[in-house]
Amino acid sequence: MRRFPQRPVPLHRHVTRGSATRPVSVLCLVTLAAGVLAAQRYFPPGVLDPAAASYSRDLKALHEPPLWELSQRDPKAEAYRFLWLRSSHHPVAVRLIVSSSGSGWIHTRMTSGRGWDQPGRIIHYGVSWLTKRKTQSFLAALESADFWKLPTLADVREVSAGYASQWIVEGVSNGRYQIIGRSSPDLADPVRAIGLLALRLGRLRMRSREVY
């Protein structure tokens, strides 16, 4: 699986002329920021290893929050995310936040990265309100797939040379956390159906050759 070095965190340094203590303050802020980022954990310990580090890196590049941490601190939260990493196309994340009314907000993000190289920078960000009917259609699809009982990982299957993808679906509800990862799932895999539905609800149109 791919591993990448951690990119430095860009910080703005403001120095006031005549202040001898300002550089020390800036250094403290940099150290504190680095500690916060290091403490941020996207997945439970041991889950999806050794790929968890690279998936976390993609989610950070997509400016996505950790859903696992959300499940730990807010038992009332309900949210779902589809992370799509393809060998020849841009990384994509679609996140649905379900409100207490049954409707939701859907966030879509894409970076400029391609394949398994650097994830790049944000090139698309969209957020829109999702009606109760559409939100419930997504939840119904999860229930139909028995989402909360699906195994995190399935048997690895062979894929066509040059075209491979990772489909990762996360869910948070009532303090529960679920994550499922599949490599180039076939048409019968429920994870593929969930991912495609997330793309459609997020209004991300993909050509057929981009879906693999």
Side-chain angles (χ1 to χ4, degrees), residues 68-79 172-177:
W68 181 64
E69 286 188 355
L70 175 64
S71 71
Q72 303 298 297
R73 69 173 184 268
D74 186 359
K76 296 182 179 180
E78 185 171 12
V172 171
S173 179
N174 296 320
R176 296 179 298 173
Y177 175 83

Side-chain angles (χ1 to χ4, degrees), residues 10 61 106 116 122 134:
I106 194 159
W116 311 135
I122 292 284
K134 290 184 176 180

Side-chain angles (χ1 to χ4, degrees), residues 86-91 111-120:
R86 297 166 292 169
S87 59
S88 301
H89 294 87
H90 302 311
T111 61
S112 59
R114 284 184 179 273
W116 311 135
D117 296 329
Q118 299 287 334

Side-chain angles (χ1 to χ4, degrees), residues 144-194:
S144 177
D146 210 3
F147 172 73
W148 295 99
K149 294 183 180 180
L150 289 175
T152 294
L153 298 174
D155 293 337
V156 177
R157 55 186 293 270
E158 293 185 3
V159 295
S160 301
Y163 287 93
S165 59
Q166 300 298 325
W167 300 53
I168 300 100
V169 179
E170 296 174 85
V172 171
S173 179
N174 296 320
R176 296 179 298 173
Y177 175 83
Q178 167 73 307
I179 182 168
I180 303 166
R182 299 289 184 269
S183 297
S184 301
D186 57 31
L187 296 176
D189 196 313
V191 174
R192 185 183 180 96
I194 293 170

Side-chain angles (χ1 to χ4, degrees), residues 17-206:
R17 185 174 300 176
S19 173
T21 60
R22 183 68 63 176
V24 176
S25 299
V26 172
L27 178 60
C28 290
L29 288 175
V30 171
T31 303
L32 177 61
V36 170
L37 287 178
Q40 193 176 49
R41 186 182 291 275
Y42 279 86
F43 310 113
V47 173
L48 293 183
D49 285 342
S54 59
Y55 294 165
S56 297
R57 188 172 183 277
D58 283 298
L59 288 169
K60 287 180 181 178
L62 287 158
H63 297 180
E64 279 290 311
L67 293 189
W68 181 64
E69 286 188 355
L70 175 64
S71 71
Q72 303 298 297
R73 69 173 184 268
D74 186 359
K76 296 182 179 180
E78 185 171 12
Y80 303 90
R81 177 166 57 213
F82 170 49
L83 174 64
W84 198 23
L85 306 175
R86 297 166 292 169
S87 59
S88 301
H89 294 87
H90 302 311
V92 171
V94 181
R95 175 166 43 94
L96 171 62
I97 302 174
V98 182
S99 68
S100 58
S101 66
S103 60
W105 289 94
I106 194 159
H107 298 253
T108 58
R109 289 184 168 99
M110 180 185 296
T111 61
S112 59
R114 284 184 179 273
W116 311 135
D117 296 329
Q118 299 287 334
R121 59 180 178 81
I122 292 284
I123 58 173
H124 168 83
Y125 171 67
V127 58
S128 59
W129 177 70
L130 207 61
T131 65
K132 183 175 181 178
R133 180 179 63 82
K134 290 184 176 180
T135 302
Q136 296 305 311
S137 72
F138 184 80
L139 298 180
L142 294 178
E143 183 177 358
S144 177
D146 210 3
F147 172 73
W148 295 99
K149 294 183 180 180
L150 289 175
T152 294
L153 298 174
D155 293 337
V156 177
R157 55 186 293 270
E158 293 185 3
V159 295
S160 301
Y163 287 93
S165 59
Q166 300 298 325
W167 300 53
I168 300 100
V169 179
E170 296 174 85
V172 171
S173 179
N174 296 320
R176 296 179 298 173
Y177 175 83
Q178 167 73 307
I179 182 168
I180 303 166
R182 299 289 184 269
S183 297
S184 301
D186 57 31
L187 296 176
D189 196 313
V191 174
R192 185 183 180 96
I194 293 170
L196 292 177
L197 178 56
L199 292 173
R200 187 161 66 251
L201 293 175
R203 301 176 184 177
L204 286 174
R205 297 182 179 180
M206 300 291 170

